[in-house]
Amino acid sequence: MKDEMKIMAVQMPVTEGKEKNIETMLYYLGKCEKEHPDLVALPEMFDCPYRNSLFRSYAEKDGGPVFQLLSDTAKKYGIYFVAGSVPELGDDDRVYNTSYAFGPDGSFLAKHRKMHLFDISIPGKQTFQESKTLSPGNQVTVFDTEFGPIGLAVCYDIRFPELFRLMALKGARLAIVPAAFNLTTGEPHWEMLLRMRALDNQMYVLGVEPERDENGRYVAWGHTMLTNPWGVVVKELGIRQGYFTETIDLSYADRIKEELPLLRHRRTDVYEVIEKQPK
């Protein structure tokens, strides 16, 4: 199992028009020719503006054109590709907020359907109800790589520590969170949540946001960020589009677990977090 991994996180603009967003994605993926990352991650709903009215019209089934393009792109650059998230049309005709992961040979490794839907109402600030058009997933997602298991969640999922604890118990030393936090929740909570999930579970956590567009209907927070197993921010972007790369040593997570053995010190005789099988 390899420990040293080079990560590339892309904070891209998301606009009207699937083709335009895909063009932007391909532009940034072209940076792989210079950067040679092991893994690339995109933001939530990278090909679709974050609006209930558009999710179904942009949605595609597994194996559709966008899915195939993402697979081909992973293979072209020989990367692990966590392709943000996209609207997925399920066989049940429901729409899901789904993150796909592909291997360096283009193989489909995993998908995570956002488990916790963003239904909030903060008077005078932010109101959104994903459940008007989206359905929730029901699986803890961890996929295998040559770097060991990697956890995958989408945006609002990060607020639920049980999910990340289950990833840690499955051996994940890195969790990736495509997201689109907004201005209301971004400033007080975004950094705090990434750092706490990393600290609680002694893993790296990468949160990837879109560019902030103050003129958009939904204004994302930006600040794509990587935090380490000690709860420290390693790398951060601002609010404009761009990308960063960072080489991380995943064995650092193993060392922290030995020095401060939180998982071993859990009182499972008193409490326990368990994964249930979907019904």
Side-chain angles (χ1 to χ4, degrees):
M1 184 169 66
K2 294 183 179 180
D3 291 322
E4 193 169 279
M5 170 191 276
K6 186 174 183 180
I7 290 173
M8 176 175 164
V10 176
Q11 183 166 287
M12 56 175 277
V14 179
T15 62
E16 292 272 3
K18 186 185 296 187
E19 294 76 13
K20 175 62 176 175
N21 294 321
I22 289 173
E23 181 181 315
T24 302
M25 179 273 289
L26 291 174
Y27 165 78
Y28 277 107
L29 266 290
K31 305 295 183 184
C32 292
E33 294 180 345
K34 178 183 73 172
E35 300 289 357
H36 303 292
D38 297 301
L39 181 147
V40 178
L42 302 178
E44 182 180 21
M45 290 292 182
F46 85 88
D47 72 342
C48 175
Y50 195 73
R51 297 211 297 270
N52 272 321
S53 61
L54 297 178
F55 292 151
R56 180 168 286 274
S57 62
Y58 276 63
E60 297 180 10
K61 289 194 172 185
D62 286 356
V66 170
F67 180 100
Q68 191 57 55
L69 175 64
L70 298 173
S71 170
D72 293 344
T73 302
K75 184 176 182 179
K76 177 180 179 179
Y77 295 112
I79 55 171
Y80 289 98
F81 191 15
V82 176
S85 77
V86 297
E88 176 212 348
L89 183 62
D91 291 336
D92 54 8
D93 199 45
R94 295 180 179 179
V95 180
Y96 299 89
N97 185 343
T98 299
S99 181
Y100 293 113
F102 299 91
D105 59 356
S107 59
F108 171 52
L109 299 181
K111 73 175 180 182
H112 178 78
R113 289 172 167 172
K114 188 174 186 177
M115 291 178 64
H116 305 91
L117 297 184
F118 186 59
D119 287 3
I120 69 160
S121 181
I122 303 174
K125 292 186 177 182
Q126 186 72 45
T127 298
F128 204 93
Q129 192 172 1
E130 280 189 326
S131 63
K132 284 185 176 180
T133 53
L134 298 176
S135 294
N138 58 8
Q139 291 186 317
V140 179
T141 307
V142 175
F143 60 94
D144 291 325
T145 74
E146 62 195 287
F147 301 94
I150 295 177
L152 184 55
V154 175
C155 200
Y156 195 51
D157 287 338
I158 200 171
R159 291 185 178 275
F160 300 87
E162 300 90 342
L163 176 59
F164 286 76
R165 177 50 52 87
L166 289 169
M167 292 178 187
L169 294 175
K170 290 174 178 282
R173 300 185 293 177
L174 166 66
I176 300 174
V177 189
F181 265 57
N182 56 67
L183 298 187
T184 300
T185 59
E187 183 171 10
H189 298 157
W190 174 243
E191 179 180 326
M192 183 191 306
L193 286 165
L194 289 168
R195 293 179 66 188
M196 287 308 301
R197 294 297 85 82
L199 180 63
D200 287 346
N201 300 290
Q202 301 176 309
M203 59 168 62
Y204 288 91
V205 179
L206 174 65
V208 188
E209 282 267 302
E211 178 187 42
R212 185 184 303 179
D213 177 7
E214 290 87 348
N215 297 316
R217 292 195 192 180
Y218 182 93
V219 184
W221 173 240
H223 294 281
T224 291
M225 186 178 298
L226 173 67
T227 53
N228 74 14
W230 198 246
V232 174
V233 176
V234 176
K235 206 96 169 188
E236 179 181 0
L237 292 174
I239 64 174
R240 300 306 173 205
Q241 65 177 291
Y243 72 95
F244 68 65
T245 62
E246 182 71 15
T247 299
I248 60 175
D249 182 0
L250 291 163
S251 69
Y252 179 56
D254 301 328
R255 193 178 91 211
I256 293 298
K257 288 184 177 74
E258 288 300 315
E259 294 174 353
L260 186 64
L262 299 182
L263 296 182
R264 291 207 306 269
H265 288 166
R266 290 176 303 126
R267 287 291 306 275
T268 54
D269 59 321
V270 178
Y271 55 81
E272 191 168 10
V273 178
I274 60 172
E275 180 181 0
K276 296 181 179 180
Q277 293 303 311
K279 295 181 179 179

